[in-house]
Amino acid sequence: MTAAIDFYFDFSSPYGYLAAEQIDDLAARHGRGVAWRPILLGAVFATTGSQPLMNIPLKGDYARRDLAREARLLDLPFQFPKPFPFMSVAACRAFYWTHDQDPGKAVALAKALYREAFAAGQPIDSAESVLTAAGDAGLALEGLAEALTDGAVKARLRQEVDAAIAKGVFGSPFIVIDGEPFWGHDRLMQADRWLERGGW
Amino acid sequence: MTAAIDFYFDFSSPYGYLAAEQIDDLAARHGRGVAWRPILLGAVFATTGSQPLMNIPLKGDYARRDLAREARLLDLPFQFPKPFPFMSVAACRAFYWTHDQDPGKAVALAKALYREAFAAGQPIDSAESVLTAAGDAGLALEGLAEALTDGAVKARLRQEVDAAIAKGVFGSPFIVIDGEPFWGHDRLMQADRWLERGGW
């Protein structure tokens, strides 16, 4: 089996950022590609009755500590952008529109946006900030600005989010390997084992 | 530093059961003991606005799959008792009362109760079922039946739960090593690394 593994994430998810820095290498070790699939967790939370992790008493404080600790362990730069949590609609639309032009550039754009937010601590919550980040990284294709308000691009994103929810995706990061779901940055190791053993 | 590590858990937490099967060995590898501290997550959820994992749409289904998968990986028997989720007040009271008589027996009782619930799939939600399980395991000290309705034992349990919440405990399992919190069965590996390196 050499199907790509599905990597679902929200651009405003700090654990998604940590996973995004590792997922391509993890998959490549097992001869797999990665289908990057940004989603909007807000739409998912409407289904599960959840709310952003950082807003939950006790859990939010713990998560801030845990994120910093995980980033230190992985030797990755980490900080929270302001504002946080933020709306990631513009980032998602930029991704899918770019993906339809050039899938490789879309993945590079996703990584650049994540680093802008959680390594540099800069906002990526507006069309303007997404365009600036894409331009700085040399990844802003002609027509991107118009695409962010295009009806077809909006519809495409809604479709992707609906499809993710229909597949049972409810968090970020969320990885699916040959139909087997793994939720959370802390499941990367199990995903690695699953690829190695072909399940257990 | 050779202080015992704190191991907080709810007897109705299946991830707590998986951790309970590993925590003593994990600590012993680093020359540490373990302070077993059963709590009532219901009281914690009142603070965090959470609800039992299994009751949450999508997440509950995922957790059932993830638990079975983790148990297979660890080669541990696993099943859900009926009813589930269940009230673990009687199990907690039995633990703390036994602990005041004989700490070692209390830990053995905790393991026996967890296995009764999640390995054998038998209920441990009533005073009667807790007494039966304790008796079958040869761990029912004289006076245990009376202790389960004793006002001082009730107060002791409330105190333990309040102290845990005051320390920021909000889930099960929840491990604290020299003040550093680790939430979740999936953080056992980080706890192991923390003990090995003395933090990072």
Side-chain angles (χ1 to χ4, degrees), chain A residues 59 62 65-66 69-70 72-73 170 180-183 186-187 189-190 193 200, chain B residues 59 62 65-66 69-70 72-73 170 180-183 186-187 189-190 193 197 200:
Chain A
K59 275 192 191 177
Y62 172 82
R65 183 172 190 152
D66 183 61
R69 187 170 65 194
E70 290 291 291
R72 291 197 306 272
L73 185 64
F170 58 82
E180 186 72 18
F182 297 87
W183 170 41
D186 42 42
R187 282 294 180 283
M189 197 182 67
Q190 307 301 53
R193 286 178 177 166
W200 61 78
Chain B
K59 275 192 191 178
Y62 172 81
R65 183 173 189 149
D66 183 61
R69 188 170 65 194
E70 290 292 291
R72 290 197 306 272
L73 185 64
F170 58 81
E180 187 73 18
F182 296 88
W183 170 40
D186 41 43
R187 281 295 181 283
M189 198 182 66
Q190 307 301 53
R193 286 177 176 166
R197 302 186 187 182
W200 60 79

mmCIF file of all heavy atoms in Angstrom, chain A residues 59 62 65-66 69-70 72-73 170 180-183 186-187 189-190 193 200, chain B residues 59 62 65-66 69-70 72-73 170 180-183 186-187 189-190 193 197 200:
data_model
loop_
_atom_site.group_PDB
_atom_site.id
_atom_site.type_symbol
_atom_site.label_atom_id
_atom_site.label_comp_id
_atom_site.label_asym_id
_atom_site.label_seq_id
_atom_site.Cartn_x
_atom_site.Cartn_y
_atom_site.Cartn_z
ATOM 1 N N LYS A 59 -7.251 23.387 31.434
ATOM 2 C CA LYS A 59 -6.689 22.752 30.235
ATOM 3 C C LYS A 59 -5.892 23.740 29.394
ATOM 4 O O LYS A 59 -4.855 23.402 28.844
ATOM 5 C CB LYS A 59 -7.809 22.190 29.352
ATOM 6 C CG LYS A 59 -8.262 20.815 29.738
ATOM 7 C CD LYS A 59 -9.143 20.212 28.652
ATOM 8 C CE LYS A 59 -9.806 18.944 29.157
ATOM 9 N NZ LYS A 59 -10.714 18.353 28.175
ATOM 10 N N TYR A 62 -2.534 24.364 30.974
ATOM 11 C CA TYR A 62 -1.701 23.174 30.794
ATOM 12 C C TYR A 62 -1.179 23.094 29.364
ATOM 13 O O TYR A 62 -0.003 22.812 29.117
ATOM 14 C CB TYR A 62 -2.487 21.906 31.137
ATOM 15 C CG TYR A 62 -1.727 20.653 30.772
ATOM 16 C CD1 TYR A 62 -0.755 20.139 31.626
ATOM 17 C CD2 TYR A 62 -1.932 20.008 29.557
ATOM 18 C CE1 TYR A 62 -0.024 19.010 31.284
ATOM 19 C CE2 TYR A 62 -1.215 18.890 29.198
ATOM 20 C CZ TYR A 62 -0.266 18.384 30.068
ATOM 21 O OH TYR A 62 0.460 17.281 29.710
ATOM 22 N N ARG A 65 1.769 25.239 28.560
ATOM 23 C CA ARG A 65 2.996 24.675 29.111
ATOM 24 C C ARG A 65 3.461 23.469 28.295
ATOM 25 O O ARG A 65 4.645 23.298 27.994
ATOM 26 C CB ARG A 65 2.708 24.262 30.557
ATOM 27 C CG ARG A 65 3.898 23.726 31.296
ATOM 28 C CD ARG A 65 3.527 23.538 32.766
ATOM 29 N NE ARG A 65 4.696 23.248 33.561
ATOM 30 C CZ ARG A 65 4.804 23.553 34.845
ATOM 31 N NH1 ARG A 65 3.814 24.165 35.462
ATOM 32 N NH2 ARG A 65 5.906 23.261 35.511
ATOM 33 N N ASP A 66 2.492 22.614 27.940
ATOM 34 C CA ASP A 66 2.813 21.398 27.196
ATOM 35 C C ASP A 66 3.369 21.735 25.809
ATOM 36 O O ASP A 66 4.332 21.112 25.351
ATOM 37 C CB ASP A 66 1.553 20.538 27.070
ATOM 38 C CG ASP A 66 1.814 19.217 26.365
ATOM 39 O OD1 ASP A 66 2.620 18.427 26.889
ATOM 40 O OD2 ASP A 66 1.225 18.981 25.298
ATOM 41 N N ARG A 69 6.876 22.900 26.037
ATOM 42 C CA ARG A 69 7.722 21.753 26.404
ATOM 43 C C ARG A 69 7.966 20.851 25.196
ATOM 44 O O ARG A 69 9.095 20.399 24.961
ATOM 45 C CB ARG A 69 7.000 20.993 27.525
ATOM 46 C CG ARG A 69 7.764 19.881 28.161
ATOM 47 C CD ARG A 69 7.033 19.376 29.414
ATOM 48 N NE ARG A 69 5.756 18.762 29.087
ATOM 49 C CZ ARG A 69 4.798 18.483 29.983
ATOM 50 N NH1 ARG A 69 4.983 18.778 31.268
ATOM 51 N NH2 ARG A 69 3.683 17.913 29.619
ATOM 52 N N GLU A 70 6.906 20.577 24.418
ATOM 53 C CA GLU A 70 7.056 19.737 23.225
ATOM 54 C C GLU A 70 7.963 20.416 22.198
ATOM 55 O O GLU A 70 8.794 19.759 21.568
ATOM 56 C CB GLU A 70 5.681 19.460 22.596
ATOM 57 C CG GLU A 70 4.793 18.536 23.408
ATOM 58 C CD GLU A 70 5.310 17.114 23.442
ATOM 59 O OE1 GLU A 70 5.282 16.437 22.411
ATOM 60 O OE2 GLU A 70 5.770 16.691 24.535
ATOM 61 N N ARG A 72 10.365 22.567 22.757
ATOM 62 C CA ARG A 72 11.758 22.489 23.224
ATOM 63 C C ARG A 72 12.329 21.099 22.943
ATOM 64 O O ARG A 72 13.466 20.962 22.491
ATOM 65 C CB ARG A 72 11.850 22.780 24.727
ATOM 66 C CG ARG A 72 11.560 24.213 25.110
ATOM 67 C CD ARG A 72 12.072 24.539 26.534
ATOM 68 N NE ARG A 72 11.597 23.630 27.567
ATOM 69 C CZ ARG A 72 10.455 23.776 28.241
ATOM 70 N NH1 ARG A 72 9.635 24.774 27.963
ATOM 71 N NH2 ARG A 72 10.119 22.913 29.179
ATOM 72 N N LEU A 73 11.531 20.077 23.195
ATOM 73 C CA LEU A 73 11.992 18.700 22.975
ATOM 74 C C LEU A 73 12.311 18.469 21.500
ATOM 75 O O LEU A 73 13.274 17.781 21.155
ATOM 76 C CB LEU A 73 10.911 17.723 23.448
ATOM 77 C CG LEU A 73 11.259 16.232 23.412
ATOM 78 C CD1 LEU A 73 12.412 15.917 24.363
ATOM 79 C CD2 LEU A 73 10.046 15.385 23.777
ATOM 80 N N PHE A 170 -12.280 15.436 13.896
ATOM 81 C CA PHE A 170 -12.845 16.344 14.904
ATOM 82 C C PHE A 170 -11.786 17.155 15.629
ATOM 83 O O PHE A 170 -12.088 17.838 16.619
ATOM 84 C CB PHE A 170 -13.666 15.562 15.930
ATOM 85 C CG PHE A 170 -12.873 14.499 16.619
ATOM 86 C CD1 PHE A 170 -12.057 14.810 17.689
ATOM 87 C CD2 PHE A 170 -12.911 13.182 16.188
ATOM 88 C CE1 PHE A 170 -11.305 13.846 18.332
ATOM 89 C CE2 PHE A 170 -12.164 12.199 16.826
ATOM 90 C CZ PHE A 170 -11.367 12.529 17.893
ATOM 91 N N GLU A 180 -7.281 4.315 9.003
ATOM 92 C CA GLU A 180 -7.085 4.282 10.461
ATOM 93 C C GLU A 180 -6.813 5.701 10.966
ATOM 94 O O GLU A 180 -5.852 6.350 10.522
ATOM 95 C CB GLU A 180 -5.911 3.364 10.800
ATOM 96 C CG GLU A 180 -5.698 3.129 12.298
ATOM 97 C CD GLU A 180 -6.751 2.232 12.930
ATOM 98 O OE1 GLU A 180 -7.466 1.509 12.209
ATOM 99 O OE2 GLU A 180 -6.875 2.276 14.177
ATOM 100 N N PRO A 181 -7.642 6.200 11.914
ATOM 101 C CA PRO A 181 -7.497 7.586 12.374
ATOM 102 C C PRO A 181 -6.542 7.735 13.572
ATOM 103 O O PRO A 181 -6.542 6.898 14.491
ATOM 104 C CB PRO A 181 -8.924 7.939 12.807
ATOM 105 C CG PRO A 181 -9.501 6.645 13.285
ATOM 106 C CD PRO A 181 -8.822 5.533 12.480
ATOM 107 N N PHE A 182 -5.758 8.789 13.549
ATOM 108 C CA PHE A 182 -4.869 9.130 14.668
ATOM 109 C C PHE A 182 -5.063 10.602 14.988
ATOM 110 O O PHE A 182 -4.764 11.465 14.163
ATOM 111 C CB PHE A 182 -3.404 8.857 14.297
ATOM 112 C CG PHE A 182 -3.105 7.419 14.026
ATOM 113 C CD1 PHE A 182 -3.288 6.881 12.756
ATOM 114 C CD2 PHE A 182 -2.682 6.578 15.048
ATOM 115 C CE1 PHE A 182 -3.039 5.545 12.500
ATOM 116 C CE2 PHE A 182 -2.434 5.232 14.804
ATOM 117 C CZ PHE A 182 -2.610 4.709 13.530
ATOM 118 N N TRP A 183 -5.547 10.888 16.185
ATOM 119 C CA TRP A 183 -5.835 12.264 16.587
ATOM 120 C C TRP A 183 -4.755 12.789 17.508
ATOM 121 O O TRP A 183 -4.453 12.173 18.525
ATOM 122 C CB TRP A 183 -7.197 12.315 17.309
ATOM 123 C CG TRP A 183 -7.485 13.632 17.978
ATOM 124 C CD1 TRP A 183 -7.228 14.876 17.480
ATOM 125 C CD2 TRP A 183 -8.082 13.821 19.256
ATOM 126 N NE1 TRP A 183 -7.648 15.831 18.375
ATOM 127 C CE2 TRP A 183 -8.172 15.208 19.471
ATOM 128 C CE3 TRP A 183 -8.569 12.948 20.231
ATOM 129 C CZ2 TRP A 183 -8.713 15.746 20.637
ATOM 130 C CZ3 TRP A 183 -9.109 13.479 21.382
ATOM 131 C CH2 TRP A 183 -9.189 14.873 21.583
ATOM 132 N N ASP A 186 0.378 14.029 19.713
ATOM 133 C CA ASP A 186 0.938 12.960 20.541
ATOM 134 C C ASP A 186 0.671 11.564 19.976
ATOM 135 O O ASP A 186 1.065 10.578 20.572
ATOM 136 C CB ASP A 186 0.436 13.061 21.982
ATOM 137 C CG ASP A 186 -1.031 13.383 22.050
ATOM 138 O OD1 ASP A 186 -1.800 12.803 21.251
ATOM 139 O OD2 ASP A 186 -1.429 14.219 22.871
ATOM 140 N N ARG A 187 -0.013 11.490 18.826
ATOM 141 C CA ARG A 187 -0.211 10.191 18.187
ATOM 142 C C ARG A 187 0.713 9.991 16.974
ATOM 143 O O ARG A 187 0.605 8.992 16.257
ATOM 144 C CB ARG A 187 -1.661 9.994 17.740
ATOM 145 C CG ARG A 187 -2.628 9.619 18.855
ATOM 146 C CD ARG A 187 -2.304 8.243 19.423
ATOM 147 N NE ARG A 187 -3.205 7.857 20.501
ATOM 148 C CZ ARG A 187 -3.145 8.304 21.744
ATOM 149 N NH1 ARG A 187 -2.217 9.184 22.086
ATOM 150 N NH2 ARG A 187 -4.008 7.887 22.651
ATOM 151 N N MET A 189 3.758 9.190 16.977
ATOM 152 C CA MET A 189 4.575 7.994 17.174
ATOM 153 C C MET A 189 3.778 6.733 16.836
ATOM 154 O O MET A 189 4.307 5.799 16.242
ATOM 155 C CB MET A 189 5.082 7.939 18.606
ATOM 156 C CG MET A 189 6.240 6.989 18.788
ATOM 157 S SD MET A 189 6.743 6.924 20.534
ATOM 158 C CE MET A 189 5.278 6.143 21.264
ATOM 159 N N GLN A 190 2.490 6.734 17.218
ATOM 160 C CA GLN A 190 1.662 5.570 16.882
ATOM 161 C C GLN A 190 1.458 5.491 15.371
ATOM 162 O O GLN A 190 1.436 4.399 14.799
ATOM 163 C CB GLN A 190 0.298 5.632 17.586
ATOM 164 C CG GLN A 190 0.331 5.840 19.099
ATOM 165 C CD GLN A 190 1.085 4.779 19.851
ATOM 166 O OE1 GLN A 190 2.241 4.503 19.525
ATOM 167 N NE2 GLN A 190 0.466 4.213 20.862
ATOM 168 N N ARG A 193 4.512 3.940 13.988
ATOM 169 C CA ARG A 193 4.504 2.486 14.217
ATOM 170 C C ARG A 193 3.528 1.779 13.285
ATOM 171 O O ARG A 193 3.785 0.680 12.822
ATOM 172 C CB ARG A 193 4.090 2.192 15.660
ATOM 173 C CG ARG A 193 5.151 2.506 16.680
ATOM 174 C CD ARG A 193 4.614 2.225 18.078
ATOM 175 N NE ARG A 193 5.635 2.443 19.081
ATOM 176 C CZ ARG A 193 5.397 2.533 20.383
ATOM 177 N NH1 ARG A 193 4.160 2.420 20.834
ATOM 178 N NH2 ARG A 193 6.368 2.727 21.233
ATOM 179 N N TRP A 200 -1.781 -3.252 13.815
ATOM 180 C CA TRP A 200 -1.617 -4.303 14.827
ATOM 181 C C TRP A 200 -2.954 -4.623 15.442
ATOM 182 O O TRP A 200 -3.892 -3.900 15.252
ATOM 183 C CB TRP A 200 -0.621 -3.882 15.918
ATOM 184 C CG TRP A 200 -1.002 -2.663 16.685
ATOM 185 C CD1 TRP A 200 -1.915 -2.556 17.705
ATOM 186 C CD2 TRP A 200 -0.454 -1.344 16.493
ATOM 187 N NE1 TRP A 200 -1.975 -1.275 18.158
ATOM 188 C CE2 TRP A 200 -1.102 -0.499 17.435
ATOM 189 C CE3 TRP A 200 0.501 -0.802 15.630
ATOM 190 C CZ2 TRP A 200 -0.815 0.866 17.520
ATOM 191 C CZ3 TRP A 200 0.772 0.547 15.730
ATOM 192 C CH2 TRP A 200 0.124 1.372 16.661
ATOM 193 N N LYS B 59 -15.621 12.198 19.070
ATOM 194 C CA LYS B 59 -14.504 11.896 19.980
ATOM 195 C C LYS B 59 -14.709 10.577 20.708
ATOM 196 O O LYS B 59 -13.769 9.817 20.925
ATOM 197 C CB LYS B 59 -14.357 13.002 21.033
ATOM 198 C CG LYS B 59 -13.548 14.174 20.574
ATOM 199 C CD LYS B 59 -13.199 15.078 21.757
ATOM 200 C CE LYS B 59 -12.617 16.384 21.255
ATOM 201 N NZ LYS B 59 -12.294 17.325 22.333
ATOM 202 N N TYR B 62 -13.979 7.687 18.434
ATOM 203 C CA TYR B 62 -12.535 7.609 18.212
ATOM 204 C C TYR B 62 -11.834 7.009 19.432
ATOM 205 O O TYR B 62 -10.952 6.153 19.305
ATOM 206 C CB TYR B 62 -11.950 8.992 17.908
ATOM 207 C CG TYR B 62 -10.447 8.980 17.862
ATOM 208 C CD1 TYR B 62 -9.766 8.562 16.731
ATOM 209 C CD2 TYR B 62 -9.700 9.343 18.990
ATOM 210 C CE1 TYR B 62 -8.378 8.507 16.702
ATOM 211 C CE2 TYR B 62 -8.312 9.296 18.970
ATOM 212 C CZ TYR B 62 -7.664 8.887 17.823
ATOM 213 O OH TYR B 62 -6.285 8.824 17.812
ATOM 214 N N ARG B 65 -11.952 3.294 19.741
ATOM 215 C CA ARG B 65 -11.022 2.658 18.803
ATOM 216 C C ARG B 65 -9.579 2.804 19.285
ATOM 217 O O ARG B 65 -8.776 1.872 19.233
ATOM 218 C CB ARG B 65 -11.204 3.336 17.444
ATOM 219 C CG ARG B 65 -10.367 2.742 16.344
ATOM 220 C CD ARG B 65 -10.766 3.376 15.016
ATOM 221 N NE ARG B 65 -10.145 2.694 13.902
ATOM 222 C CZ ARG B 65 -10.702 2.601 12.696
ATOM 223 N NH1 ARG B 65 -11.891 3.144 12.483
ATOM 224 N NH2 ARG B 65 -10.079 1.968 11.715
ATOM 225 N N ASP B 66 -9.255 4.030 19.750
ATOM 226 C CA ASP B 66 -7.895 4.313 20.204
ATOM 227 C C ASP B 66 -7.537 3.468 21.426
ATOM 228 O O ASP B 66 -6.429 2.933 21.529
ATOM 229 C CB ASP B 66 -7.772 5.807 20.534
ATOM 230 C CG ASP B 66 -6.365 6.193 20.945
ATOM 231 O OD1 ASP B 66 -5.449 6.022 20.119
ATOM 232 O OD2 ASP B 66 -6.178 6.652 22.083
ATOM 233 N N ARG B 69 -6.834 -0.047 20.463
ATOM 234 C CA ARG B 69 -5.560 -0.075 19.726
ATOM 235 C C ARG B 69 -4.374 0.032 20.679
ATOM 236 O O ARG B 69 -3.384 -0.695 20.544
ATOM 237 C CB ARG B 69 -5.579 1.092 18.738
ATOM 238 C CG ARG B 69 -4.449 1.139 17.763
ATOM 239 C CD ARG B 69 -4.721 2.206 16.699
ATOM 240 N NE ARG B 69 -4.756 3.553 17.249
ATOM 241 C CZ ARG B 69 -5.227 4.622 16.592
ATOM 242 N NH1 ARG B 69 -5.723 4.496 15.372
ATOM 243 N NH2 ARG B 69 -5.215 5.810 17.141
ATOM 244 N N GLU B 70 -4.463 0.958 21.659
ATOM 245 C CA GLU B 70 -3.391 1.111 22.638
ATOM 246 C C GLU B 70 -3.238 -0.157 23.475
ATOM 247 O O GLU B 70 -2.124 -0.581 23.780
ATOM 248 C CB GLU B 70 -3.677 2.300 23.564
ATOM 249 C CG GLU B 70 -3.565 3.660 22.879
ATOM 250 C CD GLU B 70 -2.138 4.000 22.494
ATOM 251 O OE1 GLU B 70 -1.316 4.245 23.380
ATOM 252 O OE2 GLU B 70 -1.853 3.999 21.283
ATOM 253 N N ARG B 72 -3.991 -3.231 22.628
ATOM 254 C CA ARG B 72 -3.356 -4.286 21.814
ATOM 255 C C ARG B 72 -1.852 -4.052 21.723
ATOM 256 O O ARG B 72 -1.058 -4.984 21.822
ATOM 257 C CB ARG B 72 -3.945 -4.292 20.391
ATOM 258 C CG ARG B 72 -5.378 -4.772 20.294
ATOM 259 C CD ARG B 72 -5.754 -5.159 18.850
ATOM 260 N NE ARG B 72 -5.517 -4.115 17.867
ATOM 261 C CZ ARG B 72 -6.383 -3.150 17.538
ATOM 262 N NH1 ARG B 72 -7.556 -3.094 18.138
ATOM 263 N NH2 ARG B 72 -6.083 -2.267 16.618
ATOM 264 N N LEU B 73 -1.458 -2.788 21.540
ATOM 265 C CA LEU B 73 -0.035 -2.467 21.430
ATOM 266 C C LEU B 73 0.704 -2.822 22.722
ATOM 267 O O LEU B 73 1.843 -3.290 22.698
ATOM 268 C CB LEU B 73 0.122 -0.970 21.117
ATOM 269 C CG LEU B 73 1.538 -0.467 20.842
ATOM 270 C CD1 LEU B 73 2.118 -1.115 19.589
ATOM 271 C CD2 LEU B 73 1.553 1.047 20.690
ATOM 272 N N PHE B 170 -6.933 18.093 35.976
ATOM 273 C CA PHE B 170 -8.230 18.213 35.293
ATOM 274 C C PHE B 170 -8.573 17.003 34.444
ATOM 275 O O PHE B 170 -9.535 17.021 33.683
ATOM 276 C CB PHE B 170 -8.263 19.463 34.422
ATOM 277 C CG PHE B 170 -7.170 19.482 33.388
ATOM 278 C CD1 PHE B 170 -7.315 18.783 32.198
ATOM 279 C CD2 PHE B 170 -5.988 20.169 33.612
ATOM 280 C CE1 PHE B 170 -6.301 18.773 31.249
ATOM 281 C CE2 PHE B 170 -4.967 20.183 32.667
ATOM 282 C CZ PHE B 170 -5.128 19.479 31.482
ATOM 283 N N GLU B 180 6.036 19.250 37.725
ATOM 284 C CA GLU B 180 5.773 19.303 36.275
ATOM 285 C C GLU B 180 4.594 18.380 35.929
ATOM 286 O O GLU B 180 4.652 17.185 36.190
ATOM 287 C CB GLU B 180 7.027 18.877 35.513
ATOM 288 C CG GLU B 180 6.933 19.039 34.002
ATOM 289 C CD GLU B 180 6.990 20.500 33.544
ATOM 290 O OE1 GLU B 180 7.440 21.368 34.318
ATOM 291 O OE2 GLU B 180 6.549 20.753 32.400
ATOM 292 N N PRO B 181 3.530 18.948 35.327
ATOM 293 C CA PRO B 181 2.333 18.144 35.038
ATOM 294 C C PRO B 181 2.373 17.450 33.682
ATOM 295 O O PRO B 181 2.822 18.027 32.690
ATOM 296 C CB PRO B 181 1.220 19.203 35.047
ATOM 297 C CG PRO B 181 1.886 20.453 34.564
ATOM 298 C CD PRO B 181 3.343 20.366 34.975
ATOM 299 N N PHE B 182 1.872 16.229 33.634
ATOM 300 C CA PHE B 182 1.742 15.466 32.392
ATOM 301 C C PHE B 182 0.344 14.874 32.352
ATOM 302 O O PHE B 182 -0.015 14.055 33.196
ATOM 303 C CB PHE B 182 2.791 14.343 32.334
ATOM 304 C CG PHE B 182 4.205 14.844 32.295
ATOM 305 C CD1 PHE B 182 4.893 15.101 33.476
ATOM 306 C CD2 PHE B 182 4.836 15.082 31.083
ATOM 307 C CE1 PHE B 182 6.198 15.590 33.449
ATOM 308 C CE2 PHE B 182 6.132 15.563 31.048
ATOM 309 C CZ PHE B 182 6.820 15.822 32.232
ATOM 310 N N TRP B 183 -0.439 15.294 31.374
ATOM 311 C CA TRP B 183 -1.826 14.852 31.268
ATOM 312 C C TRP B 183 -1.967 13.806 30.170
ATOM 313 O O TRP B 183 -1.568 14.054 29.036
ATOM 314 C CB TRP B 183 -2.733 16.034 30.937
ATOM 315 C CG TRP B 183 -4.135 15.667 30.566
ATOM 316 C CD1 TRP B 183 -4.917 14.701 31.142
ATOM 317 C CD2 TRP B 183 -4.926 16.245 29.530
ATOM 318 N NE1 TRP B 183 -6.151 14.659 30.539
ATOM 319 C CE2 TRP B 183 -6.178 15.605 29.538
ATOM 320 C CE3 TRP B 183 -4.693 17.259 28.600
ATOM 321 C CZ2 TRP B 183 -7.200 15.926 28.643
ATOM 322 C CZ3 TRP B 183 -5.712 17.595 27.719
ATOM 323 C CH2 TRP B 183 -6.958 16.935 27.751
ATOM 324 N N ASP B 186 -1.050 9.212 26.911
ATOM 325 C CA ASP B 186 -0.096 9.450 25.822
ATOM 326 C C ASP B 186 1.068 10.337 26.237
ATOM 327 O O ASP B 186 1.936 10.629 25.419
ATOM 328 C CB ASP B 186 -0.799 10.027 24.588
ATOM 329 C CG ASP B 186 -1.834 11.071 24.957
ATOM 330 O OD1 ASP B 186 -1.526 11.900 25.837
ATOM 331 O OD2 ASP B 186 -2.927 11.058 24.382
ATOM 332 N N ARG B 187 1.101 10.782 27.489
ATOM 333 C CA ARG B 187 2.250 11.551 27.968
ATOM 334 C C ARG B 187 3.180 10.716 28.853
ATOM 335 O O ARG B 187 4.148 11.238 29.407
ATOM 336 C CB ARG B 187 1.809 12.793 28.747
ATOM 337 C CG ARG B 187 1.362 13.962 27.872
ATOM 338 C CD ARG B 187 2.512 14.503 27.046
ATOM 339 N NE ARG B 187 2.129 15.631 26.212
ATOM 340 C CZ ARG B 187 1.453 15.537 25.068
ATOM 341 N NH1 ARG B 187 1.086 14.346 24.613
ATOM 342 N NH2 ARG B 187 1.151 16.603 24.379
ATOM 343 N N MET B 189 5.358 8.611 27.929
ATOM 344 C CA MET B 189 6.696 8.615 27.352
ATOM 345 C C MET B 189 7.441 9.905 27.704
ATOM 346 O O MET B 189 8.629 9.886 27.994
ATOM 347 C CB MET B 189 6.625 8.450 25.839
ATOM 348 C CG MET B 189 7.941 8.011 25.231
ATOM 349 S SD MET B 189 7.801 7.883 23.434
ATOM 350 C CE MET B 189 7.525 9.614 22.995
ATOM 351 N N GLN B 190 6.697 11.034 27.681
ATOM 352 C CA GLN B 190 7.340 12.305 28.042
ATOM 353 C C GLN B 190 7.704 12.298 29.533
ATOM 354 O O GLN B 190 8.750 12.833 29.920
ATOM 355 C CB GLN B 190 6.432 13.496 27.735
ATOM 356 C CG GLN B 190 5.888 13.564 26.310
ATOM 357 C CD GLN B 190 6.946 13.632 25.245
ATOM 358 O OE1 GLN B 190 7.851 12.786 25.220
ATOM 359 N NE2 GLN B 190 6.833 14.597 24.368
ATOM 360 N N ARG B 193 10.867 10.406 29.829
ATOM 361 C CA ARG B 193 12.003 11.228 29.401
ATOM 362 C C ARG B 193 12.340 12.302 30.436
ATOM 363 O O ARG B 193 13.504 12.611 30.664
ATOM 364 C CB ARG B 193 11.663 11.953 28.084
ATOM 365 C CG ARG B 193 11.664 11.048 26.882
ATOM 366 C CD ARG B 193 11.254 11.852 25.642
ATOM 367 N NE ARG B 193 11.332 11.033 24.452
ATOM 368 C CZ ARG B 193 10.792 11.373 23.278
ATOM 369 N NH1 ARG B 193 10.111 12.509 23.161
ATOM 370 N NH2 ARG B 193 10.903 10.597 22.233
ATOM 371 N N ARG B 197 15.965 12.768 32.053
ATOM 372 C CA ARG B 197 16.806 13.948 31.805
ATOM 373 C C ARG B 197 16.757 14.975 32.935
ATOM 374 O O ARG B 197 17.559 15.916 32.930
ATOM 375 C CB ARG B 197 16.343 14.665 30.532
ATOM 376 C CG ARG B 197 16.366 13.804 29.291
ATOM 377 C CD ARG B 197 16.037 14.663 28.086
ATOM 378 N NE ARG B 197 15.875 13.856 26.880
ATOM 379 C CZ ARG B 197 15.622 14.362 25.680
ATOM 380 N NH1 ARG B 197 15.519 15.684 25.538
ATOM 381 N NH2 ARG B 197 15.471 13.595 24.633
ATOM 382 N N TRP B 200 13.771 19.481 30.579
ATOM 383 C CA TRP B 200 14.453 20.060 29.415
ATOM 384 C C TRP B 200 13.920 21.438 29.128
ATOM 385 O O TRP B 200 12.894 21.813 29.682
ATOM 386 C CB TRP B 200 14.313 19.168 28.174
ATOM 387 C CG TRP B 200 12.912 18.914 27.730
ATOM 388 C CD1 TRP B 200 12.094 19.760 27.014
ATOM 389 C CD2 TRP B 200 12.149 17.734 27.957
ATOM 390 N NE1 TRP B 200 10.890 19.167 26.789
ATOM 391 C CE2 TRP B 200 10.881 17.924 27.354
ATOM 392 C CE3 TRP B 200 12.405 16.519 28.619
ATOM 393 C CZ2 TRP B 200 9.866 16.956 27.413
ATOM 394 C CZ3 TRP B 200 11.391 15.570 28.656
ATOM 395 C CH2 TRP B 200 10.152 15.788 28.056
#
